[in-house]
Amino acid sequence: MVLIDGKKVAAEMKEEIAAKVKVLKESGSKTPHLAAVLVGHDGGSETYVAYKIKDCEAVGFKSSLIRYEDNVTENELLAKVQELNEDADIDGFIVQLPLPAHISEEKVIEAINPKKDVDGFHPENVGRMVISLPSFVSATPFGIVELLKRYKIETIGKNCVIVGRSNIVGRPLSILMSQKAINATVTVAHSRTKNLEELCRSADILVAAIGVPEFVKGNMVKDGAVVIDVGTTRVKSDQTKSGWKLKGDVLFDEVAPKCSYITPVPGGVGPMTRVSLLYNTLLAASGKIYK
Ligand code: NAP
């Protein structure tokens, strides 16, 4: 069994990005600039955005953080999105989700200029991805595909079962895995899927993106399968200083011995999600997607 080291791969990618930024700067081009809009004080969102800013610094990007209180109006937020769309110094920006209930996430995402949509959530980018045109691909699916590529995991003709059909993980990943560059045969499962255990057992590549800790048990995985665990649920723990622990969607101790490859939680998909946003920002700055 090979433990897929997302932390190591992400660190390598970060170095590659930093080297490209150095070349850009030395050639007199502008420094790539990522902006993040954060609404409210949700603990998870605060942490994610802090990481994004820190990651920018690590690779030599410029970053800006724009903060609003929970009571910001939809119109105020949309006006800021418009301002960022028009700001020539900003190459890409993200609006951290979730947003408070009185603001339509859909409206906000659709207001972002697709050329600056480094989260890859805008319908134009999703549509371009579906028909294999250059696009910003959302960070987690991009990171998973990059892990498979860098570990040289065979995907051609393999049965790939993805459990979870969210717009940010399961569904875009299913599209990428079925594309000609990857050539897997893909099944997307969800909470209404029948015979899920049997279906999972048929997978050569099993991706769990559910958000239910330790949902995938040993008897749901075939010998030699590749298992990608996307889940990250914070659960109480008396074994850590903080009193919390991150749990994946896979019961690791039971499943790992059966796998050819498996991602751990933490240290598997998570670091790849972080670095993928940097990758997209570099693409945006170099104008490589929308020429
Ligand atoms: P989501 O939007 O809540 O979607 C969960 C999906 O799982 C849904 O499609 C749901 O089916 C399906 N599901 C839930 N319970 C199920 C069950 N018992 N059997 C079969 N399918 C079931 O979640 P998400 O945003 O995709 O995130 C999934 C997990 O990945 C979460 O733990 C999240 O924290 C984590 N995550 C991690 C990263 C990372 O970088 N590591 C990035 C993104 C997300 P229905 O559609 O039928 O409801």
Side-chain angles (χ1 to χ4, degrees):
M1 182 273 292
V2 175
L3 194 65
I4 297 180
D5 191 344
K7 227 172 151 180
K8 182 168 147 250
V9 176
E12 284 164 12
M13 285 181 72
K14 253 185 175 172
E15 275 178 28
E16 291 162 17
I17 293 168
K20 286 184 180 146
V21 173
K22 195 163 169 258
V23 172
L24 275 179
K25 287 183 183 172
E26 282 168 1
S27 68
S29 300
K30 81 179 260 307
T31 302
H33 187 174
L34 174 76
V37 180
L38 176 60
V39 178
H41 298 277
D42 171 77
S45 296
E46 293 261 9
T47 308
Y48 292 139
V49 169
Y51 280 146
K52 287 168 189 177
I53 301 290
K54 199 173 137 209
D55 288 344
C56 283
E57 284 164 13
V59 296
F61 288 174
K62 237 170 111 177
S63 63
S64 301
L65 173 60
I66 299 122
R67 300 196 68 129
Y68 287 103
E69 291 301 320
D70 274 320
N71 60 1
V72 65
T73 66
E74 189 176 273
N75 280 342
E76 279 174 285
L77 196 57
L78 288 170
K80 176 51 79 177
V81 167
Q82 200 47 41
E83 194 187 310
L84 294 170
N85 283 341
E86 287 162 12
D87 185 338
D89 194 57
I90 306 275
D91 297 292
F93 66 98
I94 61 136
V95 178
Q96 185 66 41
L97 303 180
L99 292 171
H102 66 278
I103 299 176
S104 159
E105 291 187 354
E106 238 168 62
K107 259 195 200 170
V108 171
I109 289 170
E110 285 185 30
I112 296 173
N113 179 347
K115 295 177 183 162
K116 295 190 176 189
D117 169 40
V118 286
D119 258 343
F121 293 163
H122 191 283
E124 189 168 326
N125 278 308
V126 178
R128 288 173 68 101
M129 177 189 64
V130 170
I131 55 172
S132 303
L133 286 176
S135 63
F136 293 111
V137 175
S138 52
T140 306
F142 178 88
I144 292 169
V145 167
E146 200 59 28
L147 275 182
L148 296 173
K149 281 187 189 158
R150 291 191 183 223
Y151 272 82
K152 298 191 168 47
I153 291 171
E154 183 59 85
T155 53
I156 301 173
K158 298 291 180 190
N159 282 335
C160 173
V161 174
I162 300 170
V163 192
R165 56 177 164 184
S166 71
N167 288 342
I168 60 164
V169 187
R171 200 181 301 279
L173 181 65
S174 72
I175 292 159
L176 295 178
M177 292 300 292
S178 69
Q179 278 172 342
K180 285 199 169 165
I182 300 192
N183 283 307
T185 306
V186 182
T187 309
V188 182
H190 44 78
S191 65
R192 305 293 178 91
T193 297
K194 301 243 189 311
N195 303 324
L196 185 60
E197 292 190 6
E198 200 183 321
L199 186 66
C200 289
R201 269 195 302 275
S202 74
D204 302 309
I205 301 171
L206 178 63
V207 182
I210 319 164
V212 181
E214 301 183 335
F215 179 87
V216 176
K217 313 281 191 291
N219 65 357
M220 294 167 73
V221 177
K222 105 168 152 194
D223 284 332
V226 176
V227 173
I228 306 292
D229 189 354
V230 184
T232 46
T233 308
R234 237 163 55 106
V235 295
K236 286 211 158 134
S237 166
D238 50 20
Q239 293 158 353
T240 62
K241 242 191 195 167
S242 65
W244 294 94
K245 194 176 173 186
L246 266 197
K247 282 232 177 206
D249 287 344
V250 174
L251 184 52
F252 187 87
D253 291 346
E254 254 185 51
V255 172
K258 301 185 81 176
C259 297
S260 54
Y261 294 86
I262 186 167
T263 59
V265 175
V269 174
M272 295 302 292
T273 298
R274 279 175 63 177
V275 78
S276 300
L277 178 67
L278 298 177
Y279 184 86
N280 274 349
T281 304
L282 184 63
L283 282 180
S286 1
K288 286 210 169 127
I289 300 290
Y290 290 89
K291 290 181 179 138

